[in-house]
Amino acid sequence: MSHHDPVCIVGIGETPPVRRSDKNLRQLVIDASIEAIADAGLSPSDIDGIVTDSVIMPNSVPHEYVAAQLGIDRTFDAALSYGGAGIVCAPMLAEMAIRAGRAKNVLCYFGVDWGSIPAGPYGFHDLYPAKTAYEKPFGFSGQPSYFALWARRYMHEYGLKEEDLAMIAVNQRKNALLTGRSQARSELTLEDYMNSRVISDPLRVPDCCLISDGAGAFVMTSAERAKDLRKPPVNVLGVGFAMETMTGDDIFTQKPDLMHIPGAAEAGRQACERSGISLDDVDFAEIYDCFTISCLMQIEDIGFCKKGEAADFLRSKGTTVDGGFPVNTHGGLLSYSYRLGVEHVVEAVRQLRGEAGANQVKNARIGLVGGLSMPDYGVAILGR
Amino acid sequence: MMKGEEITMINSLDLPSLLPEFLPFWESVGRSRLSFPRCTECGEFHWYPMVRCPHCQSSAVEWSDVEPEGELYSYTKVCHPFGDKLKEKVPYFVALVTFAGAPGIRLVTNLVEVDEDKLRIGMPVKAVFSGADGENASIAFRPLVGS
Ligand SMILES: [Zn+2]
């Protein structure tokens, strides 16, 4: 393949968005993987590489299990970061393998059963020893409380209002309901938001992502092989990966500047440089919206607008699928499902194929996907 | 420092489960003191404790007492119980407090004796210690009198 030929996403799959599935996590990952491989028009034996995040999947549905179940005789196997940044940067590792001739067709997958297991996403943070020593004793243990401290400080520094956070939640719910399959099924108005239950103030129920069971997967190959496959290829134009040199223990409270996510700025810069795409060219964005406040901050840090100005920027543009800057076109982690961003990659591919249906962004040619897993950040710019 | 009403931690401390480099903080709290790890090579504080100074990688890290008065950096009223044990504890206040004597550190703590309407970022707060040693050591902060 020529150095300039892009590497492509040629198959996507995901299990239905639900709080609790009657299938276990292994079944969910296998279902999504089989769907993605079939969507590409390939059979499992065509796959020779596997990429996931490096923390959650290796400890729950490891590569060799998936390989054995599907009959994947692999010559390449890799994992990076964890959760959101991991799966958004999976195309970077797949691209390296395909360009190096180490693999022809690479399966990337991710899934969680946090909707079913007792401690859900809160239990995941038990792996950080300093949290046990210095946070849990104070009852500081749920992710909403972490981001509530950020939101309160952001309100103090930049004059953010509750209505601004509500706007993000309300618009994403509109996008979600258009899909017809989102986990959140009811309408959400500004009034509903203002009357909703406070979780950790100022954050309310609609500011917090859903909790879900489910998996997603995608298949990557070279542009040359993509020509013969079933679906129009979506090109991986550029991927960036960056972070702060902090541990997962201290990143939520001790980062030198609590109002900036430097990994997002640097990963965005890398992705733009590699793709030759300017942020002005981006038609829609799928941003890691674990909370309304973190979604808003990432939009600033990636560089779509200046720090402190995201609320005005998003309000003036419009973030629903018919707006000037559609954000989280499937409703995101807030309203579609919470599978830590694999659904963001799958959705971006759907949009760029023109397959989204009622929530299709018109003339979507370039999409940006942002994945956060503090302190890491990944940005993938995809196009057709 | 202050020995006011008995305060207890929201969740009990399980000292034996903690890494050894995490213990000196709680030993200090048991003596009604606030202390943080500081590098004697470069002079910088860091938090949370690491085996070497993350600024210069020196292992010459010592614990240094800090005046237990600080400034409210941010706060939240936790209303949702994250776990069954917290059902009887909500609502409670979690805060980040900064200290003039320990630049760069933000302590996660609880706020007590709070008049919610008067809380504001930047207000001075003072430590309240109770419990003697070990598992019963506890620390929280309250708004400084007169502020
Ligand atoms: Zn040092």
Side-chain angles (χ1 to χ4, degrees), chain A residues 122 128-146 148-154 156-157 197-203 246-247 249-259, chain B residues 9-13 17-19 21-26 47-50 63 72-83 86 92-96 104-110 116 121-122 139-140:
Chain A
Y122 315 129
Y128 298 111
K131 290 183 181 292
T132 307
Y134 299 124
E135 296 187 357
K136 284 228 160 158
F138 300 100
F140 187 60
S141 55
Q143 287 88 338
S145 294
Y146 306 162
L149 293 179
W150 292 27
R152 172 86 67 208
R153 184 73 196 185
Y154 189 107
H156 171 76
E157 291 198 17
R197 188 163 64 89
V198 174
I199 297 290
S200 197
D201 84 339
L203 299 183
M246 308 279 295
T247 70
D249 294 273
D250 48 21
I251 187 67
F252 290 99
T253 58
Q254 310 300 321
K255 62 209 269 4
D257 183 347
L258 213 57
M259 298 292 96
Chain B
M9 303 305 295
I10 300 284
N11 281 308
S12 55
L13 266 172
S17 74
L18 302 187
L19 294 176
E21 65 264 33
F22 293 165
L23 293 175
F25 175 86
W26 289 110
W47 193 243
Y48 300 125
M50 299 185 96
W63 286 75
L72 185 59
Y73 184 84
S74 192
Y75 63 93
T76 179
K77 182 162 78 169
V78 181
C79 299
H80 177 78
F82 297 99
L86 296 179
Y92 55 87
F93 287 90
V94 171
L96 285 179
I105 288 178
R106 301 185 194 103
L107 182 71
V108 172
T109 187
N110 295 123
E116 193 175 351
I121 285 178
I139 178 172

Side-chain angles (χ1 to χ4, degrees), chain A residues 226-266:
Chain A
K227 284 181 204 150
D228 303 326
L229 298 181
R230 230 179 108 227
K231 292 284 180 72
V234 165
N235 300 323
V236 175
L237 301 176
V239 183
F241 175 60
M243 72 210 65
E244 275 177 277
T245 54
M246 308 279 295
T247 70
D249 294 273
D250 48 21
I251 187 67
F252 290 99
T253 58
Q254 310 300 321
K255 62 209 269 4
D257 183 347
L258 213 57
M259 298 292 96
H260 284 79
I261 305 169
E266 172 57 18

Side-chain angles (χ1 to χ4, degrees), chain A residues 324-348:
Chain A
F325 180 52
V327 174
N328 294 331
T329 53
H330 50 344
L333 310 176
L334 296 175
S335 285
Y336 184 73
S337 70
Y338 177 50
R339 287 172 278 186
L340 282 63
V342 68
E343 63 271 78
H344 285 27
V345 180
V346 168
E347 168 67 9

Side-chain angles (χ1 to χ4, degrees), chain A residues 104-117:
Chain A
K104 292 186 174 66
N105 304 307
V106 177
L107 172 70
C108 307
Y109 66 82
F110 187 83
V112 281
D113 56 359
W114 290 354
S116 289
I117 59 174

Side-chain angles (χ1 to χ4, degrees), chain B residues 38-44 46 52-58 60-61:
Chain B
R38 183 168 187 235
C39 173
T40 57
E41 290 283 329
C42 73
E44 298 281 333
H46 71 270
R52 284 176 181 248
C53 167
H55 305 289
C56 75
Q57 289 72 51
S58 166
V61 174

